[in-house]
Amino acid sequence: MTLTGNKNTVLVVGNGGREHALAWALARSASVGQVIVAAGNAGTQWEASAGVAPCQRVAIAPDDIDGLVTLAQDNAVALTVVGPEDPLVNGIVDRFTAADLTIFGPTAGAAQLEASKAFSKAFMERHGIPTAAYGAFTDLDEARAFVASFGRPLVVKADGLAEGKGVIMCETVADADAALLQMMQDRAFGAAGDQVVIEERLTGVEASALAFCDGERFALMPIARDHKRALDGDQGLNTGGMGAVCPVPDVDAALIRMIEETVVRPTLDGMRAEGLPYKGVLYAGLMLTPDGLRVLEFNCRFGDPETEAIMPLFDGDLAAVLMACAHGQLDPAAVRWQAGACASVIVASGGYPLAYAKGLPISGLAIEQPQTAIFHAGTTEQDGHVVTARGRVLAVSGWGHDLDTALARAYARIETIHFEDMFYRHDIGRTVGSSQ
């Protein structure tokens, strides 16, 4: 398979709203002549226009690393950007590097920060990075004894990747005991639950700190906040995210410096000291507690839906920044952001995050409104129409000089969209967004 490739062709791996937002930003990079998205969705294909490179989707799954290597070689791809965590954990960066292909993301070894919660917690303990008290266990009886002695609310987490579902909040010993049996005995999350991490349940509000990293240097993105609960008022089930805002009004310059000095810098220094230099996006999920900030978790990639709220504020050539990171040559001063704020609201299918219908026609996507964008999170094409394909269907972003303006634009754009049983939260940016 050969597309119209040149030295400025960029490949984005993934098929969600995060990948659409990355492709959208990369297509606006002066150094990019073409964007390919594998496997993409109904939104990740467009013709060239003024200041925007064309984008084409290719039906190669994100976990088909052999196929992606061949695609990059056949099309002289200058840079590959990986969206989801699974390919990173499974060594896509190692494979591309071995094939002399430039790729933005951490190696499989460095991606252990997300792949193993036990690795991540032990790493933070070794390097003095603030996090919740914890224990890690492979033996069920030992885990149950730890729970019985803990004496306060806690969180039980499957150690491995579990599609965001392997985290159970527990108020009582009985709750935690049931969670342990579910993970370690019933294997509700498969091999991800062979080891569990049990940690103190923190209180506070959450924030997401993402940084471009080149193994030694970093540039922090504006702090974002995801809203995990399905319903208004931070009620309902946890989801993959119902919206995000950026920057976060209650995170000031002093707290940003603290995040840089106590989280990002010691993480990069520690990973490099342990022979696992970290290149890519480092995502620190933070809890702002009454006792100070704590790291809830690390992710080894762009967040979703945070990316849909961050990318519209990027100012410059994103491809050049990611290329510099991949080659260990990041100039933090060259990373620039527009003033103002962005809000992204998820439009979901009725029933999400549980059972939901697929194949529902979507109308109103072609209407244009200034300073807004629709990023397709779960769509496909069927008989020439864009239809729903996942629970999270669209991420509708608006931006402006302040958060109120950004929110007004995002919600006004949603009013033009329709599909059967669609729903969304009406209070993104108006609640703390805490899920603990």
Side-chain angles (χ1 to χ4, degrees):
M1 177 186 299
T2 302
L3 306 177
T4 306
N6 57 49
K7 65 186 181 67
N8 297 319
T9 297
V10 175
L11 169 63
V12 177
V13 176
N15 52 22
R18 164 183 52 208
E19 289 76 27
H20 187 175
L22 290 171
W24 179 89
L26 288 163
R28 286 158 174 77
S29 298
S31 64
V32 173
Q34 180 183 16
V35 179
I36 304 170
V37 186
N41 56 45
T44 54
Q45 185 151 314
W46 57 81
E47 301 295 328
S49 59
V52 180
C55 182
Q56 182 170 354
R57 65 179 184 272
V58 178
I60 298 177
D63 60 357
D64 182 1
I65 296 178
D66 289 339
L68 293 168
V69 168
T70 300
L71 175 68
Q73 291 172 327
D74 288 349
N75 293 279
V77 168
L79 172 69
T80 296
V81 181
V82 184
E85 62 272 22
D86 283 352
L88 294 167
V89 170
N90 292 330
I92 189 173
V93 169
D94 308 74
R95 292 282 302 283
F96 268 62
T97 302
D100 199 26
L101 294 164
T102 300
I103 184 167
F104 175 80
T107 62
Q112 289 179 89
L113 277 177
E114 178 169 5
S116 170
K117 295 178 179 64
F119 174 91
S120 177
K121 295 290 285 190
F123 174 86
M124 286 188 271
E125 189 173 49
R126 288 195 298 275
H127 295 281
I129 298 166
T131 190
Y134 82 103
F137 303 92
T138 57
D139 182 85
L140 176 59
D141 290 337
E142 291 179 3
R144 296 176 79 178
F146 180 84
V147 163
S149 66
F150 202 75
R152 54 191 185 276
L154 45 77
V155 184
V156 178
K157 299 180 177 181
D159 175 65
L161 299 178
E163 299 181 347
K165 300 174 183 176
V167 177
I168 300 177
M169 310 295 176
C170 304
E171 294 289 347
T172 66
V173 170
D175 292 340
D177 201 57
L180 290 172
L181 291 172
Q182 182 182 357
M183 289 185 189
M184 303 184 79
Q185 181 173 286
D186 300 339
R187 297 181 60 80
F189 305 109
D194 287 349
Q195 181 170 218
V196 297
V197 169
I198 305 167
E199 64 181 31
E200 171 189 13
R201 184 170 174 179
L202 301 173
T203 59
V205 296
E206 293 187 37
S208 303
L210 286 74
F212 299 113
C213 304
D214 76 349
E216 181 176 355
R217 291 162 291 273
F218 70 90
L220 196 67
M221 304 180 206
I223 305 301
R225 174 166 290 142
D226 184 12
H227 295 64
K228 289 290 187 187
R229 298 287 185 173
L231 305 177
D232 288 359
D234 290 325
Q235 300 298 308
L237 297 173
N238 264 339
T239 73
M242 292 300 294
V245 297
C246 175
V248 177
D250 55 331
V251 175
D252 60 16
L255 185 51
I256 289 172
R257 285 194 298 274
M258 185 176 296
I259 293 168
E260 292 178 329
E261 294 169 2
T262 67
V263 178
V264 184
R265 170 49 59 200
T267 300
L268 290 189
D269 289 349
M271 292 294 283
R272 192 170 66 254
E274 295 189 14
L276 297 169
Y278 192 97
K279 297 180 180 180
V281 168
L282 179 68
Y283 172 134
L286 306 174
M287 183 69 84
L288 310 180
T289 81
D291 299 319
L293 71 87
R294 300 289 186 271
V295 178
L296 294 173
E297 64 178 359
F298 283 120
N299 292 330
C300 60
R301 34 70 187 184
F302 287 96
D304 192 348
E306 290 95 341
T307 302
E308 293 94 303
I310 292 173
M311 282 299 106
L313 298 179
F314 185 81
D315 182 13
D317 191 317
L318 179 63
V321 170
L322 304 188
M323 182 79 77
C325 288
H327 290 297
Q329 299 173 346
L330 175 66
D331 177 6
V335 180
R336 301 185 304 276
W337 301 94
Q338 299 177 33
C342 183
S344 189
V345 181
I346 295 294
V347 180
S349 283
Y352 174 77
L354 301 176
Y356 53 85
K358 298 180 182 180
L360 304 172
I362 308 170
S363 62
L365 295 174
I367 299 170
E368 293 189 5
Q369 292 184 0
Q371 292 183 275
T372 65
I374 297 175
F375 300 118
H376 291 228
T379 65
T380 190
E381 289 189 24
Q382 183 175 296
D383 300 325
H385 299 287
V386 178
V387 301
T388 66
R390 293 182 180 176
R392 291 194 300 169
V393 179
L394 304 168
V396 181
S397 299
W399 55 95
H401 66 277
D402 59 20
L403 182 56
D404 286 341
T405 302
L407 287 165
R409 287 176 174 156
Y411 279 112
R413 185 66 182 89
I414 288 175
E415 291 298 317
T416 69
I417 300 166
H418 176 75
F419 60 88
E420 185 179 349
D421 290 334
M422 64 178 262
F423 83 96
Y424 55 92
R425 281 184 54 165
H426 301 79
D427 62 348
I428 298 301
R430 303 305 185 197
T431 66
V432 297
S434 173
S435 64
Q436 288 219 39

